[in-house]
Amino acid sequence: MTAVEESKKKQLVLDYCQLRMGQITRGDVHEIAIRCGYLTANGQLSDSGRSLSQVLAATDRVLKVA
């Protein structure tokens, strides 16, 4: 994985955290995910999106504790 993909993944996780805290909308995250290649145009998870979804699930657990 290249550094660019790594930084995009980190940015999407940060954006997801902002969504969970009510700072941005779900549509914003959806658009970012499509541009980063985590979602296909029809809204399905890509291969990299499936691995990212595991990261987001772990993020959810952390946010519930915080």
Side-chain angles (χ1 to χ4, degrees):
M1 188 167 284
T2 66
V4 173
E5 289 172 341
E6 230 9 81
S7 67
K8 282 183 180 179
K9 186 180 286 188
K10 289 177 184 171
Q11 185 59 51
L12 188 57
V13 171
L14 289 173
D15 291 340
Y16 183 75
C17 291
Q18 289 179 315
L19 169 72
R20 299 292 293 169
M21 292 184 287
Q23 295 172 350
I24 59 177
T25 68
R26 189 168 195 80
D28 293 334
V29 174
H30 191 261
E31 179 63 29
I32 293 161
I34 290 174
R35 275 191 263 146
C36 290
Y38 296 117
L39 288 177
T40 60
N42 64 4
Q44 300 298 312
L45 280 176
S46 65
D47 289 339
S48 56
R50 276 190 276 281
S51 63
L52 181 65
S53 69
Q54 295 171 343
V55 173
L56 297 179
T59 302
D60 260 355
R61 287 193 292 276
V62 170
L63 287 174
K64 286 177 184 167
V65 172

